[in-house]
Structure formats: C-alpha cells, structure tokens
Amino acid sequence: MQERVLDCLGEPCPVPLVKAQRALEDLEAGDILIVQIDHSCAMKSLPEWARDAGHNVEIEEIDNGEWEVVIEKS
Amino acid sequence: MIDGESRMWKKLSDALGRNEYYLLWLKDAWPYLTGALLLSILQIATMAVAGNPWGISGAITNWGAWTIEALGGSVEHWYYFSSESARAVLDRGILQDPVSIRNFGIIAGALFSVLIASSFKLKKIRTGKQVTAAVLGGLLMGYGMRVALGCNIGAFYSGISVLSLAGWVYGVFLLLGAIVGGKLLVRFFM
Amino acid sequence: MAGIKRHSHPRPRRHRSQIPLGILFGLLVLWIGIRFLRSSPTLAFFWFTGIAFGFVLQKARFCFTASMRDAFLTGRTRLTKAVLVAFAITSVGFWALMFGAHQSGRPIPGMAFVAPLGLHTVAGAFLFGLGMVIAGGCASGTLMRVGEGFTMQIIALLFFIIGSLLGAAHFRWWDVTIIQPAPRVHLPQLFGWFGSIAIQLVIIALLWIAADKYGKARQHAATGRTAQK
C-alpha cells in the first residue's frame, strides 16, 4: 500500500490533472495519491475526472483557496 | 464597542457559513450545465438591451491605447484607431466605455465569488517558466485576437450564436491552436 | 462517504472565514452600480451584467480554454459538452431576437458580430488558441483569474494588451489585404431563417455526441491500460 503526495500548489490548469494522471498510472489499485492544489478550476476538474475514472475521491479545503484531493486508486 | 461589533460579525458569518443554501449557492462549485444556462440567459439579456452580444476584446485593445495616451504618447496616426467611432470611444474615456466597465465587472464578480466562498488566496508565481508562459501566451493571444477580430467570447461564442459562419471557422482553428498549445505546454512549461 | 484511509496526516487546517470581507466587497460593488445608475443606466447595465458574468464563470468554473484544451490533453469532455449546450441555448435566444426584428422591420441586432470570414480568421484563431493554452486562460478566463488573485494571469493580461496593440499596429496590412475583401457570411442568407437555426442545432447536437463518445473512449483506454498492468 503506497501513498504519494503530489505538490501542485501554484500550478495552473491543466498541469495538476496531467500530473495526477501520470502519477496514477504508476500506482497500484488501493494506493493513495494526495494532490495539493490551489487552482480553483482544478478543485472541480480533478475530482470530477478521478470519479469518472472510477476512483474513490475526497476533497478537503485546507486553507483559503488551498485544497487536498485524496484519490484512492481502484 | 468595536469588539462587540467584530463578535457579531463573526457570529453572523459563522452561522451563514454552515447554512445549507450558502453551501449550495455560494460555497460549492456549480455544475457546468448551470453555468451554461446562466451565461446563455445573460447573453440573451445583453443582446436584447444593448443590441449586441457579449464581447471583451475591443476594450482590451483600447486599454492599451489609453495607457499609451496616459504615458504621453498618441495613437492618432494608428490605422486601427483612426475611424471616427474608435476615436469617439477613446475620447469618452475608460470610465464611459460600457465594454470596459463590463470587463471590470467580470474581475469584480469573480473576486466577490471567491471572497464570499472564503476561498481567496493570492497565488504567487512559482517558477520562471510561468512568467515565460504568461508573457508568450499573452502576446500570441493578443495578436491573434486583434487579427481575428475577437476572442473566445466575441468571435467564437457570440459569433456562432449570431449564426455567423466566421464563428464556426474560428472554432475549428481555435481547437487546432489549443491542441498544438497543449503539446507545447506539456513539453516546455510543465 | 466511507472515507479513504490515509497514512499521512492532512496538513493542519488554517481556514479562516472571508465572508465578512465578501459582504463588504459586495456592498462596494452595489454602491458603484448605484452610482452608475444615477449617471448612466447603460453603464449600470454593463456593470451589473459584468458582475454576473464574472460570478457565474467563477462559480461554475466555466473555462472556454479548458473546453478546447482538455479533450485531447486529458480526455475530459464534460466542459466541452457544457459549452456546446450554452451555444445551443444562446443561439435559440439570439435567433429569436434577430428573426423578431427582421419580421417587424427593425434593424437586426448583433449583425456587427457577423465578422468577415477569411485567412485572418484562420490565422488569428489558431494563434489565439495556442496563446490561451500557454497563458492558462482566454480573455474571459484571464479576467476571471485576475479577480481570483492569480499573479500569473495579471502578467498574462498585461502582455495580452501589448499583443493586441501589436496586432493593432499591423492592422492596416491585415485590413487592406485580407479583411476588407473577405465576405461576411450570415447563415440565414444561405439557408433561410428556419433552415439556419435547424442546421446549427443539428451540428451542435452532433458535436455533443462526438464529444461524449470521444470522452468515453478515452476513459475506456485509460482504465484498460491500468488493468493490464
């Protein structure tokens, strides 16, 4: 069971999503990817894409305008 | 007194922050389709009142002209600004230009949206690449917009919606540009 | 939701309410609008619709750049489909206003946005598409993100203005050689009022289906690839 943290703070769209897609390809089912973002469009597009792809997703606002998207690969 | 006031503010904003309709309307992101519907209504209202649909880009170029004039220069001899109507807009000034006012409104509306959602954060530049991307992307976009007579909104969204063939052709080449841009972005700016 | 079990602790939450600030800013926006209303109702209309455009764009994270870029880059087509829906609804509304004006003999609104179609459309749209993806937002997206506090988009807006001035500086050549000879093609001239809106809606529907199928195919490809591993 692996857990990876991806720091995408300050990264504009679509960089967080592209990076998360690449990171997920390297992970196994059950592994967890935590993506840190502060791009307000990515806080919608990233969880939405990950849910569409069938993964478990949670999102938490850590600070004003900063989110952690927790993706459990399925 | 001031202490009591700030406590009242805090109570009020805490209560609002937990309200389910606050969360639904002002905190959480809306579905894209809600956005599509509301933007359409605003577009149609704009067309009905102003006689023209939503456009952004003309004012952007005028902001440049006003800046040049504010710095002591002149755009009098520029072909682009030589028409009587262009001159009239420039002479009235930025605060009398409806399209500029609407553009300021877009900035203010977005700021209001993030503040009321408690999600405002000043996002600093993180890498030099981002500066290069902003400079290069901004220049390409500005030049392309002027030559194509509009941006994504005026030439594409509004262009297609007024049943103009140019709007559709704009869309095809916009998509091609975006595909090439995406490849460059991943290759050089990520 | 059941909750994902993570090993690392989430970073400590430091979230503070900005609602009071938001309310104060909202009152300021309203006050400016009322000032405009006294001097010019037209300016007040543009101010309030601008606020609404910006608010809706931000709330729905409606990004025209992403709608063009993400399909090929990430396989995500939800936004592409939403933009097509907006085009369909707006087209019907505009069509009604234009056709109504035509029927009653009034000047048809929006005809200034039926632009000449020529090589400048092709070249300019391509450059615009390239630039908006690299800059991280088109015109509306850049304005919205300036409001959201993105330093990168403040720089982008600055060079957006400079780029458009460069375009304006070359405008004589473009206008005389390409734009002036180019025809303005309004679809109702070609297909009639009813034919044009029908064709337009059918094309939008077909594009919506294509975007949907493409998005699903990309999703299958992605999950298939991981399943093989």
Side-chain angles (χ1 to χ4, degrees), chain A residues 40-55:
Chain A
S40 52
C41 294
M43 71 71 86
K44 183 172 163 71
S45 63
L46 179 57
E48 196 182 77
W49 170 83
R51 284 195 190 106
D52 284 349
H55 309 299

Side-chain angles (χ1 to χ4, degrees), chain B residues 50-162:
Chain B
N52 272 317
W54 183 20
I56 292 176
S57 64
I60 301 278
T61 315
N62 289 341
W63 290 359
W66 279 310
T67 310
I68 289 176
E69 294 193 335
L71 295 174
S74 160
V75 293
E76 244 170 71
H77 303 296
W78 289 44
Y79 178 82
Y80 178 82
F81 298 107
S82 63
S83 75
E84 252 175 60
S85 57
R87 197 59 247 173
V89 171
L90 289 182
D91 284 344
R92 272 199 296 274
I94 194 165
L95 290 176
Q96 297 292 322
D97 174 34
V99 181
S100 294
I101 297 298
R102 180 168 57 202
N103 287 353
F104 293 140
I106 293 172
I107 298 175
L111 175 58
F112 173 70
S113 173
V114 281
L115 279 178
I116 205 77
S118 273
S119 293
F120 181 80
K121 179 195 172 193
L122 190 70
K123 282 101 170 168
K124 297 195 189 77
I125 294 280
R126 196 167 130 159
T127 62
K129 278 181 185 178
Q130 288 181 344
V131 180
T132 318
V135 170
L136 193 67
L139 287 174
L140 285 170
M141 195 161 53
Y143 195 91
M145 165 192 96
R146 199 60 287 132
V147 167
L149 307 171
C151 66
N152 259 353
I153 302 298
F156 181 45
Y157 182 11
S158 296
I160 284 182
S161 300
V162 295

Side-chain angles (χ1 to χ4, degrees), chain C residues 136-155:
Chain C
C138 63
S140 63
T142 300
L143 291 178
M144 164 177 102
R145 292 192 180 101
V146 167
E148 283 188 66
F150 285 93
T151 318
M152 181 179 170
Q153 262 72 35
I154 295 176
I155 299 176

Side-chain angles (χ1 to χ4, degrees), chain A residues 2-72:
Chain A
Q2 250 199 78
E3 185 170 299
R4 258 188 79 183
V5 177
L6 201 58
D7 175 6
C8 290
L9 295 173
E11 304 271 27
C13 261
V15 178
L17 181 50
V18 174
K19 281 190 173 170
Q21 287 181 334
R22 287 183 181 171
L24 275 170
E25 282 194 13
D26 297 335
L27 293 175
E28 304 292 326
D31 290 349
I32 290 171
L33 179 70
I34 299 168
V35 194
Q36 299 171 331
I37 49 169
D38 61 3
H39 197 281
S40 52
C41 294
M43 71 71 86
K44 183 172 163 71
S45 63
L46 179 57
E48 196 182 77
W49 170 83
R51 284 195 190 106
D52 284 349
H55 309 299
N56 280 327
V57 184
E58 277 175 11
I59 178 160
E60 194 183 359
E61 190 169 5
I62 299 294
D63 197 346
N64 301 98
E66 271 186 45
W67 296 270
E68 280 191 353
V69 182
V70 185
I71 304 171
E72 184 185 43

